[in-house]
Amino acid sequence: MKDMQNQPDGRQIDIDQVGIRDIVYPVTVKDRSKGSQSTVATISMSVNLPHHFKGTHMSRFVEVLNKHRDNISTTSIREILTDMQKSLNADEAHLEMSFKYFIEKKAPVSGQSALMDYDCTFKSALCGDKKDLVMTIHVPVLALCPCSKEISAYGAHNQRSIVSISVRTSSLVWIEELIEYAEGAASSPIYALLKREDEKYVTEKSYENPAFVEDIVRNATEMLDKDERIIWFEVSSTNMESIHNHNAWAVIRRDKRSMS
Amino acid sequence: MKDMQNQPDGRQIDIDQVGIRDIVYPVTVKDRSKGSQSTVATISMSVNLPHHFKGTHMSRFVEVLNKHRDNISTTSIREILTDMQKSLNADEAHLEMSFKYFIEKKAPVSGQSALMDYDCTFKSALCGDKKDLVMTIHVPVLALCPCSKEISAYGAHNQRSIVSISVRTSSLVWIEELIEYAEGAASSPIYALLKREDEKYVTEKSYENPAFVEDIVRNATEMLDKDERIIWFEVSSTNMESIHNHNAWAVIRRDKRSMS
Amino acid sequence: MKDMQNQPDGRQIDIDQVGIRDIVYPVTVKDRSKGSQSTVATISMSVNLPHHFKGTHMSRFVEVLNKHRDNISTTSIREILTDMQKSLNADEAHLEMSFKYFIEKKAPVSGQSALMDYDCTFKSALCGDKKDLVMTIHVPVLALCPCSKEISAYGAHNQRSIVSISVRTSSLVWIEELIEYAEGAASSPIYALLKREDEKYVTEKSYENPAFVEDIVRNATEMLDKDERIIWFEVSSTNMESIHNHNAWAVIRRDKRSMS
Amino acid sequence: MKDMQNQPDGRQIDIDQVGIRDIVYPVTVKDRSKGSQSTVATISMSVNLPHHFKGTHMSRFVEVLNKHRDNISTTSIREILTDMQKSLNADEAHLEMSFKYFIEKKAPVSGQSALMDYDCTFKSALCGDKKDLVMTIHVPVLALCPCSKEISAYGAHNQRSIVSISVRTSSLVWIEELIEYAEGAASSPIYALLKREDEKYVTEKSYENPAFVEDIVRNATEMLDKDERIIWFEVSSTNMESIHNHNAWAVIRRDKRSMS
């Protein structure tokens, strides 16, 4: 059978990235407290394609994914990308994976525990032997409006917000550490399981810690600035306003590498 | 060219519904205050297919839709369904359309106005000459937790909730009337545009009207029960809890036709 | 602290279902070939609430879920529902869970294997001691249009389709068996990993087996009709037409219990 | 009432962007053939916030949007951004809007017409008086696999694909022109309404024009390269493979401004 993909192409046009998208696969991800956890990821894999080739070999992406799926971490990603370069005979390899990450979390007063889910994404590339990795975590939190508290005789509108932190790092930073930064920046963390005494605690704590969407990203920036392992970050907060049918949003981006 | 769809089929199996789904089309919908409004709908259309036919003629659904798209209302739906029956030579026709519906809404104190968006669905069928129509509206509101208010020294968690009301009616009920029922059942309506004096009003009003997800569906049920034009309803509330990453939910269904 | 939920309610309105929705949790599901598999589920849990109670106790749903998450199957669901009845002091309990289910699948010629993902849903209820369970599986397949093949000089449009089968059964039916029915009803199964010889096989096989959306649901109905363990079913096919930006769709529903 | 947002903030942290997201609004968009069309947009609006201010005034975004909603075009966007700068007293304003755009399209043989829907996005910014605008259009097309055609005795797998073209331009380029580029790059355009003679035409045309995902982006690149009004572009194709449950994807990005 003719290998159509290996035919020459005369248009003199390099392709930046070509590959597969939105393949759903079970994966095992490294975990600070238990060593590893099983989850499900949505994955995109691609390579560059020089102008003289007509097409890439799509099935090889799945072969590489299948081989590595039981050992996914920020450190093992280099091996996967290297395997993609070899298998597809390419200079550049790109891998993006989004997955639910679960953490056992104790309620603040009763101590009862249940699992909280977080959306996590690894976006990585290997160009020659130069690796880039952006880790992103989306953390649901509680945000209570300082303006509403200040101007109202009682109460204050509050809502579920998503604090999203993306980082490039010079050494290992755990997903769990980024979650702590995000939660510390908001009016209160939120939980999967709260008994009445916990609900009282969270309600009062959030009322004592009002935070605009602007405050949340500034609070997080102060923490991310101080952490020397983090060399680049973007932090945003999306507040699902309880008084509107749209969201409030703010973002701060910072590249420490260009700031000395 | 052979008409494959008109070929006989020997399997003796009637098909309940066959047609097109998820076609997106601009439509003009009847509106209480302005006469009509332009919006965009996602539409499914289908008919039954007797066992002796191999297939239906899909292009005819689009022809019927194209003809009627400028005049969509709960009353004009019968014409569309009748056209589908004729054009596709079928006993039963089904039409389902979901669209954004906009209402100009004044802020409660400043009186400033802006448009609020609501998700609306018409689900209709014509079997012979017997018509069925379920109208559904999803109304975002504010829900403030009575438990949190009661047990906390100050504050109370609150959140955006979606109150969904579906009705079958014996005579015309406006979308706007269902929205009023939904908003009246919650701690407070919500708005696209609020100035500071409005935010104070909404904050205090919701604190004075705490409502569990259970209260919201019971409050709505009292109103829907009293409205004699409504002969069947389902009302649910989905609260996007600000203290959890999951939602609280309740539903009440009632068929007045079987309750006398 | 006052137990607000246990307060009396004077409105005389029973609530059909109240509980939590869209909680995301890692679960372990029974698997025909390996015994069990780890996946991630989106879950709704609810109970009925008699008119004299003001509210339900939402945290108990999470406690029950947390207890059972490592052992999910069509048989263990009764235990979960029974626990919900007890924990929430309710007559009726409802549990709905949707999850990705993975099957190792060999390519038809090369024999190379990779994992295919399927969307699966269990929708269950226990009313008193009467259990109801509907299992649904969504199976991506290939559908090649018989009309396009017949009228064209060469080629035929084809597309990815989703065959959805829901069943109530009198005894155990594996998810894997429903997948085989769905794949057998279409022009060809589809795969996560295909080498060139496999692609040739799938292309030719689908060209030899053209099937309208109507044919797919009729083919599946013949199989589901014959399987005596299945006492109720609904089968639909949604074809993501390659010549349109909308989908073709057909559905057949059958209750064998009412057909003797 | 105290203006909390205008309070000073001592953290010395500028905010890159703050504003509202995911507000849904009816808008009127400029249209090549009819002058204008009504549609529904999902909109994000934001400004920068200097470090010395505590918060921005969210309601003003809605006021600006409400004022301009009846006149949206690539040229009128500058006015909206300027109004945002003034109203919010900011140096930088950002506006992003995504909407369905409809074009009346005739079937290739029968000439019957119906509306096709396209997803369109304008992403714009005004920094001082320097405007940036990226227009993106997502065009569904038909892609037929050259490899499958070459190696198979008959037939060839084909599928719906989405060709996405983003451009920065030095002068007006119509959405309609980008749609023509995208359709010209694929195996065949697709349509909302096709009669049998049209279906034969599309089937045969696509079989005569096989195109890998790589070919589609290269074909489009050749056209976009030649159009001198376009100074920057990104073109991608996402093929919803009919033989897999995942997508094939390729992208080419080119900045002509940096290539002389």
Side-chain angles (χ1 to χ4, degrees):
Chain A
M1 273 184 291
K2 198 166 165 185
D3 185 343
M4 286 294 286
Q5 282 83 353
N6 263 343
Q7 299 303 303
D9 191 283
R11 280 170 291 189
Q12 298 290 326
I13 300 174
D14 294 334
I15 292 180
D16 290 284
Q17 288 177 255
V18 55
I20 60 172
R21 278 184 89 79
D22 298 321
I23 184 165
V24 178
Y25 233 75
V27 294
T28 305
V29 180
K30 211 172 169 179
D31 172 313
R32 187 172 63 174
S33 62
K34 296 176 303 172
S36 71
Q37 67 173 269
S38 296
T39 186
V40 172
T42 301
I43 297 163
S44 298
M45 305 170 84
S46 62
V47 293
N48 71 313
L49 187 75
H51 66 82
H52 44 82
F53 289 116
K54 188 165 173 59
T56 194
H57 291 85
M58 299 284 186
S59 62
R60 297 182 192 170
F61 293 104
V62 182
E63 291 170 349
V64 172
L65 172 59
N66 205 36
K67 177 179 159 195
H68 289 276
R69 73 179 183 89
D70 281 335
N71 177 25
I72 303 290
S73 70
T74 53
T75 49
S76 73
I77 273 184
R78 177 180 279 272
E79 287 168 54
I80 309 177
L81 291 164
T82 303
D83 258 20
M84 288 168 65
Q85 285 179 328
K86 280 185 202 158
S87 172
L88 287 139
N89 201 17
D91 291 328
E92 297 181 19
H94 301 263
L95 170 65
E96 191 170 334
M97 48 196 317
S98 295
F99 51 90
K100 287 283 179 189
Y101 188 81
F102 297 93
I103 295 180
E104 187 147 358
K105 204 163 168 179
K106 282 193 187 342
V109 180
S110 72
Q112 285 212 35
S113 78
L115 297 171
M116 267 286 288
D117 63 301
Y118 302 90
D119 286 306
C120 187
T121 298
F122 292 161
K123 187 171 180 176
S124 63
L126 192 62
C127 300
D129 64 352
K130 202 168 152 249
K131 185 185 138 197
D132 185 48
L133 172 64
V134 175
M135 176 164 69
T136 299
I137 185 85
H138 302 281
V139 182
V141 299
L142 200 164
L144 185 137
C145 179
C147 172
S148 171
K149 177 181 173 182
E150 172 69 27
I151 64 181
S152 303
Y154 30 74
H157 78 80
N158 53 75
Q159 47 268 323
R160 197 192 297 163
S161 300
I162 307 294
V163 178
S164 302
I165 299 179
S166 297
V167 294
R168 288 187 170 91
T169 68
S170 59
S171 58
L172 178 70
V173 173
W174 287 98
I175 294 172
E176 287 81 351
E177 295 177 279
L178 297 181
I179 293 172
E180 285 158 24
Y181 288 157
E183 292 182 340
S187 298
S188 171
I190 68 175
Y191 302 84
L193 175 54
L194 293 173
K195 305 306 285 185
R196 227 162 333 136
E197 57 269 38
D198 304 308
E199 186 173 351
K200 173 180 166 61
Y201 178 89
V202 169
T203 301
E204 295 175 355
K205 179 177 178 183
S206 62
Y207 193 79
E208 293 157 3
N209 289 288
F212 283 129
V213 71
E214 293 93 334
D215 291 317
I216 294 174
V217 294
R218 279 174 168 152
N219 292 342
T221 292
E222 289 192 316
M223 291 182 263
L224 295 162
D225 261 345
K226 268 181 218 145
D227 189 327
E228 295 185 353
R229 299 167 302 172
I230 294 169
I231 56 174
W232 172 98
F233 68 85
E234 176 179 300
V235 55
S236 69
S237 183
T238 303
N239 291 19
M240 292 178 270
E241 299 287 286
S242 64
I243 59 170
H244 295 302
N245 197 27
H246 57 260
N247 303 322
W249 174 78
V251 66
I252 293 175
R253 301 177 191 96
R254 200 158 290 193
D255 191 343
K256 299 186 194 176
R257 297 168 300 187
S258 61
M259 293 177 76
S260 53
Chain B
M1 273 184 292
K2 197 166 167 184
D3 185 344
M4 286 293 287
Q5 281 83 354
N6 263 343
Q7 300 302 304
D9 191 284
R11 281 168 291 190
Q12 299 288 326
I13 301 175
D14 295 334
I15 292 181
D16 291 282
Q17 290 177 254
V18 55
I20 60 172
R21 277 184 91 79
D22 298 322
I23 185 166
V24 179
Y25 233 72
V27 295
T28 305
V29 180
K30 211 172 170 180
D31 173 314
R32 188 173 61 173
S33 60
K34 297 175 304 170
S36 70
Q37 67 173 267
S38 297
T39 186
V40 172
T42 300
I43 297 163
S44 298
M45 306 171 82
S46 62
V47 294
N48 72 314
L49 186 76
H51 65 81
H52 44 83
F53 289 116
K54 188 164 173 59
T56 195
H57 292 84
M58 299 284 183
S59 62
R60 297 181 191 171
F61 293 105
V62 183
E63 291 169 349
V64 172
L65 171 60
N66 206 36
K67 178 178 159 197
H68 289 276
R69 74 180 182 88
D70 281 334
N71 177 24
I72 303 290
S73 70
T74 53
T75 48
S76 73
I77 273 184
R78 177 181 277 271
E79 289 167 53
I80 310 178
L81 291 164
T82 303
D83 258 21
M84 288 169 63
Q85 284 178 330
K86 281 184 202 157
S87 171
L88 287 139
N89 202 17
D91 293 329
E92 299 182 18
H94 302 264
L95 171 65
E96 191 170 334
M97 47 196 317
S98 297
F99 50 90
K100 285 284 176 187
Y101 189 79
F102 297 92
I103 295 181
E104 187 147 357
K105 202 163 170 179
K106 283 192 189 339
V109 180
S110 70
Q112 285 213 36
S113 78
L115 298 170
M116 266 286 289
D117 64 299
Y118 302 90
D119 287 305
C120 186
T121 298
F122 293 162
K123 188 172 180 175
S124 63
L126 192 62
C127 301
D129 65 353
K130 201 168 153 251
K131 184 186 137 198
D132 185 49
L133 171 64
V134 176
M135 177 165 67
T136 299
I137 185 85
H138 302 281
V139 182
V141 299
L142 201 164
L144 185 137
C145 178
C147 171
S148 172
K149 176 181 172 180
E150 172 71 26
I151 64 180
S152 303
Y154 30 74
H157 78 81
N158 53 77
Q159 48 267 321
R160 197 191 298 163
S161 299
I162 305 295
V163 178
S164 301
I165 298 179
S166 298
V167 294
R168 287 186 171 91
T169 69
S170 59
S171 58
L172 178 69
V173 174
W174 287 99
I175 294 173
E176 286 81 351
E177 296 178 279
L178 298 181
I179 292 172
E180 285 158 24
Y181 289 156
E183 291 182 341
S187 298
S188 171
I190 68 174
Y191 302 84
L193 176 55
L194 293 173
K195 305 305 288 184
R196 224 154 343 129
E197 56 269 39
D198 304 309
E199 185 172 350
K200 173 180 165 65
Y201 177 89
V202 170
T203 301
E204 293 175 357
K205 180 179 177 182
S206 62
Y207 193 79
E208 292 156 3
N209 289 288
F212 282 130
V213 71
E214 294 93 335
D215 292 316
I216 294 174
V217 295
R218 280 173 168 152
N219 291 343
T221 291
E222 289 192 316
M223 292 181 263
L224 295 162
D225 262 345
K226 268 180 217 146
D227 188 328
E228 295 186 353
R229 299 166 302 171
I230 294 168
I231 57 175
W232 174 97
F233 68 85
E234 176 178 300
V235 55
S236 69
S237 184
T238 304
N239 292 16
M240 293 178 270
E241 300 286 284
S242 63
I243 59 170
H244 295 304
N245 197 27
H246 57 261
N247 303 322
W249 172 80
V251 65
I252 292 174
R253 304 178 189 93
R254 199 159 291 192
D255 192 343
K256 299 186 192 175
R257 297 168 299 187
S258 61
M259 292 178 75
S260 52
Chain C
M1 274 182 290
K2 198 167 165 184
D3 185 344
M4 287 294 286
Q5 281 82 354
N6 263 344
Q7 300 303 302
D9 190 283
R11 282 168 290 191
Q12 299 288 325
I13 301 174
D14 294 334
I15 293 181
D16 291 283
Q17 289 177 256
V18 54
I20 59 171
R21 278 185 90 79
D22 299 320
I23 185 166
V24 178
Y25 233 73
V27 295
T28 304
V29 180
K30 211 172 172 180
D31 172 314
R32 187 172 63 174
S33 62
K34 298 175 301 170
S36 72
Q37 65 174 268
S38 297
T39 186
V40 172
T42 301
I43 296 164
S44 298
M45 306 171 84
S46 62
V47 294
N48 70 315
L49 186 76
H51 64 83
H52 44 82
F53 289 116
K54 186 162 173 61
T56 193
H57 292 84
M58 299 285 184
S59 63
R60 298 183 191 168
F61 293 105
V62 182
E63 291 170 347
V64 172
L65 171 59
N66 205 35
K67 177 179 159 195
H68 289 276
R69 73 180 184 88
D70 281 334
N71 177 25
I72 304 290
S73 70
T74 53
T75 48
S76 72
I77 273 184
R78 177 180 278 271
E79 289 168 54
I80 309 178
L81 291 164
T82 303
D83 257 21
M84 288 168 64
Q85 285 178 329
K86 280 184 204 159
S87 170
L88 287 137
N89 201 17
D91 292 328
E92 298 182 18
H94 301 263
L95 170 66
E96 191 170 335
M97 48 195 318
S98 296
F99 51 89
K100 288 283 178 187
Y101 189 80
F102 296 93
I103 295 181
E104 186 147 358
K105 204 163 165 179
K106 282 191 188 342
V109 180
S110 72
Q112 284 212 34
S113 78
L115 297 171
M116 266 287 286
D117 64 299
Y118 302 90
D119 285 307
C120 186
T121 298
F122 293 161
K123 188 172 180 177
S124 63
L126 192 63
C127 300
D129 65 351
K130 201 168 154 252
K131 184 186 137 197
D132 186 47
L133 172 63
V134 176
M135 175 165 67
T136 300
I137 184 86
H138 303 281
V139 183
V141 299
L142 201 163
L144 185 138
C145 178
C147 171
S148 172
K149 176 182 173 181
E150 172 69 27
I151 64 180
S152 304
Y154 31 74
H157 78 82
N158 54 76
Q159 48 270 320
R160 196 191 299 164
S161 300
I162 306 294
V163 178
S164 301
I165 299 178
S166 297
V167 294
R168 287 187 171 90
T169 69
S170 59
S171 58
L172 178 70
V173 174
W174 287 98
I175 294 173
E176 286 82 351
E177 295 177 279
L178 298 181
I179 292 172
E180 284 158 23
Y181 289 156
E183 292 182 340
S187 298
S188 171
I190 69 174
Y191 302 84
L193 175 54
L194 293 173
K195 305 305 287 184
R196 224 154 341 130
E197 56 270 36
D198 304 309
E199 184 173 351
K200 175 180 165 63
Y201 177 89
V202 169
T203 302
E204 295 175 354
K205 179 176 177 185
S206 62
Y207 193 80
E208 292 157 3
N209 289 290
F212 282 130
V213 71
E214 293 93 335
D215 292 316
I216 294 174
V217 292
R218 279 173 168 152
N219 291 343
T221 291
E222 290 192 317
M223 292 181 263
L224 295 161
D225 262 345
K226 267 180 219 145
D227 188 327
E228 296 185 352
R229 300 166 301 173
I230 294 168
I231 56 175
W232 173 97
F233 68 85
E234 175 179 301
V235 55
S236 69
S237 183
T238 304
N239 291 16
M240 294 177 270
E241 299 287 285
S242 63
I243 60 171
H244 295 303
N245 197 27
H246 57 260
N247 303 323
W249 174 78
V251 65
I252 293 173
R253 303 178 190 92
R254 199 158 290 193
D255 191 342
K256 299 185 192 176
R257 297 166 300 186
S258 61
M259 293 178 75
S260 54
Chain D
M1 271 182 293
K2 197 166 166 187
D3 186 343
M4 286 295 285
Q5 282 82 355
N6 264 343
Q7 299 303 304
D9 192 284
R11 280 168 293 189
Q12 299 290 327
I13 300 175
D14 295 333
I15 293 181
D16 291 284
Q17 291 176 253
V18 55
I20 60 171
R21 279 183 89 79
D22 299 321
I23 184 165
V24 179
Y25 233 74
V27 294
T28 306
V29 180
K30 211 172 170 181
D31 172 312
R32 188 172 64 174
S33 61
K34 297 176 301 170
S36 71
Q37 66 173 270
S38 296
T39 186
V40 173
T42 301
I43 297 164
S44 299
M45 305 171 84
S46 62
V47 293
N48 71 313
L49 187 75
H51 65 83
H52 44 82
F53 289 117
K54 186 163 173 63
T56 194
H57 292 85
M58 299 287 185
S59 62
R60 299 185 190 167
F61 293 105
V62 182
E63 291 170 348
V64 173
L65 172 60
N66 206 34
K67 178 179 160 196
H68 289 276
R69 71 179 185 88
D70 281 334
N71 177 26
I72 303 289
S73 70
T74 53
T75 49
S76 73
I77 274 184
R78 178 182 278 270
E79 288 167 54
I80 311 176
L81 292 165
T82 302
D83 258 20
M84 289 168 64
Q85 284 179 330
K86 280 184 204 159
S87 171
L88 287 138
N89 200 18
D91 291 328
E92 298 182 19
H94 301 262
L95 171 64
E96 191 170 335
M97 46 195 318
S98 297
F99 51 89
K100 287 283 178 187
Y101 188 81
F102 296 92
I103 294 181
E104 186 146 357
K105 203 164 169 181
K106 283 191 187 342
V109 179
S110 70
Q112 285 211 35
S113 78
L115 297 171
M116 267 285 289
D117 64 300
Y118 301 90
D119 286 306
C120 186
T121 298
F122 292 161
K123 188 172 180 176
S124 62
L126 191 63
C127 300
D129 64 353
K130 204 171 150 243
K131 185 186 137 198
D132 185 48
L133 172 62
V134 175
M135 176 165 67
T136 299
I137 185 85
H138 302 281
V139 183
V141 299
L142 200 164
L144 185 137
C145 178
C147 171
S148 172
K149 177 182 173 180
E150 172 70 27
I151 63 180
S152 303
Y154 31 72
H157 78 81
N158 52 76
Q159 47 269 322
R160 197 190 299 163
S161 299
I162 306 294
V163 178
S164 302
I165 299 180
S166 297
V167 294
R168 287 188 171 91
T169 68
S170 58
S171 59
L172 179 69
V173 173
W174 287 98
I175 294 173
E176 287 82 351
E177 296 178 278
L178 297 181
I179 292 173
E180 284 159 24
Y181 289 156
E183 292 182 340
S187 297
S188 172
I190 69 175
Y191 302 84
L193 176 53
L194 294 173
K195 305 305 287 186
R196 225 159 337 133
E197 57 270 36
D198 303 310
E199 184 172 351
K200 173 182 166 61
Y201 177 90
V202 169
T203 302
E204 295 175 356
K205 180 178 176 181
S206 62
Y207 193 79
E208 293 157 2
N209 289 289
F212 282 129
V213 71
E214 293 94 334
D215 291 317
I216 293 174
V217 293
R218 279 172 167 154
N219 291 342
T221 292
E222 289 192 316
M223 292 182 264
L224 295 163
D225 262 345
K226 269 181 216 146
D227 189 327
E228 294 185 354
R229 299 167 301 173
I230 294 168
I231 57 174
W232 173 96
F233 68 84
E234 176 178 300
V235 54
S236 70
S237 183
T238 304
N239 292 17
M240 292 177 271
E241 300 288 287
S242 63
I243 60 172
H244 294 303
N245 197 28
H246 57 261
N247 303 323
W249 174 78
V251 66
I252 292 175
R253 301 176 191 97
R254 198 159 293 192
D255 191 342
K256 298 186 193 176
R257 297 167 298 187
S258 61
M259 292 177 76
S260 52

